[in-house]
Amino acid sequence: MNYISIINAFWDAATTNPLSTGQVSLYMALLHVCNRSNWTEWFQAPNQVLSVLTGLSRSGILKARNELKQRGLLEFRERGTKATLYRITMAYSKQDSTQDGRQKGAQDGNRDGARNSGTLKDIDIDKEGERMRAPAVEHFDAFWEAYPKHRNDRPAAERAYCRVLREDCHIMEQDLVAAAVNYAEAMKALGRKEEYVRSAASFLTDNFFAAYLPGQYVRPERERMAAGGGKNRFNQFAQHDYDFGALEKELVVN
């Protein structure tokens, strides 16, 4: 069963058993995310992303997904603070459907859904020996050049970089480059010695980089007092000001 077949089957079912607007919006949004994930059987979809795609509040998403599950249209697994995992039931009702859905979905995804560069490649990102799909990247060199600490860990950093892009559908490469620029600025402003600066791979692990993304980063007070010095070599990526004092204590050595 391919993408179009699933949509047609969904509307056929809705004809005899009507769904609310919220249920329809959520189901279509999850189909979109599943397609962008290359029809991985279990895929993650953060509530923030679903809210943007559907216009539903968090409580609206929870209500709609429970109703869709009761109708046998999807399954989900909550994971505490991590993004919920979803499974589109129609796409995996039979073994043949699973295989066909993956093949057709991957084709549709390669044409319509690949993000950042528009193409995909296989890359080993060292997740318990599993070979995973990650987006082809174009700006890792810019990220690496901007990052304030270089050791012999570029391969690990590349894997972590691809993992972030694969697992978080609203993070773009430009965001990661800007985060590296902001982190370098913060470390310089705070006078951090190299041993107190995270490695690039560690920076990209456990969502540590999120505090340095455009719109989240706050320039340290010491940098703000000396504003005007130092031209940003990566001025094509947006930077934002904020108070970094609250995060200073969280810096760890890696």
Side-chain angles (χ1 to χ4, degrees):
M1 183 175 287
N2 61 29
Y3 197 175
I4 299 301
S5 297
I6 293 173
I7 293 175
N8 288 337
F10 172 78
W11 287 121
D12 289 343
T15 300
T16 57
N17 194 1
L19 299 167
S20 68
T21 301
Q23 293 166 17
V24 172
S25 296
L26 180 60
Y27 192 81
M28 291 301 169
L30 288 170
L31 275 183
H32 170 71
V33 175
C34 184
N35 182 48
R36 294 287 292 270
S37 301
N38 293 305
W39 295 91
T40 301
E41 182 170 2
W42 286 93
F43 60 94
Q44 65 176 7
N47 286 336
Q48 298 94 324
V49 174
L50 295 178
S51 181
V52 170
L53 293 176
T54 65
L56 296 173
S57 64
R58 181 178 182 277
S59 60
I61 291 171
L62 299 184
K63 180 180 178 181
R65 78 184 187 187
N66 285 332
E67 292 167 341
L68 290 171
K69 181 177 181 179
Q70 292 173 7
R71 292 173 181 247
L73 294 172
L74 62 80
E75 299 175 32
F76 61 85
R77 297 174 182 167
E78 294 182 313
R79 301 189 295 166
T81 58
K82 295 183 179 180
T84 300
L85 292 176
Y86 291 88
R87 179 179 185 270
I88 302 297
T89 306
M90 287 186 189
Y92 299 95
S93 58
K94 297 179 181 179
Q95 182 65 29
D96 290 343
S97 295
T98 300
Q99 183 65 25
D100 186 53
R102 285 176 176 169
Q103 292 174 349
K104 297 295 185 180
Q107 293 171 1
D108 292 338
N110 284 337
R111 287 197 304 268
D112 306 319
R115 55 191 173 80
N116 292 317
S117 68
T119 59
L120 295 171
K121 67 177 181 180
D122 284 319
I123 183 168
D124 184 356
I125 62 173
D126 275 355
K127 186 175 181 181
E128 298 177 356
E130 180 183 358
R131 191 108 177 141
M132 304 178 69
R133 293 190 69 79
V137 298
E138 295 179 339
H139 302 299
F140 180 80
D141 287 341
F143 170 86
W144 186 250
E145 183 178 349
Y147 199 74
K149 182 176 184 177
H150 290 166
R151 298 193 301 193
N152 296 324
D153 63 342
R154 177 167 176 141
E158 289 178 329
R159 291 192 292 269
Y161 184 92
C162 288
R163 183 182 293 112
V164 170
L165 295 175
R166 176 186 180 276
E167 294 182 352
D168 196 329
C169 61
H170 64 280
I171 294 292
M172 305 297 289
E173 288 198 71
Q174 290 87 343
D175 298 326
L176 296 181
V177 176
V181 172
N182 290 336
Y183 186 57
E185 176 190 82
M187 295 301 94
K188 181 178 180 180
L190 294 170
R192 292 291 177 185
K193 296 181 179 179
E194 183 175 347
E195 59 264 33
Y196 294 103
V197 177
R198 285 185 172 231
S199 68
S202 176
F203 176 76
L204 293 166
T205 301
D206 296 330
N207 216 37
F208 181 85
F209 66 89
Y212 301 91
L213 291 172
Q216 299 297 320
Y217 172 64
V218 177
R219 181 179 298 169
E221 286 292 341
R222 274 176 261 180
E223 177 73 4
R224 191 177 300 168
M225 293 171 60
K231 185 178 179 181
N232 177 13
R233 292 181 296 123
F234 296 87
N235 54 16
Q236 70 268 36
F237 301 106
Q239 291 181 253
H240 300 269
D241 295 340
Y242 77 88
D243 182 4
F244 190 75
L247 294 173
E248 183 174 354
K249 296 181 181 180
E250 298 182 9
L251 295 173
V252 297
V253 179
N254 184 34

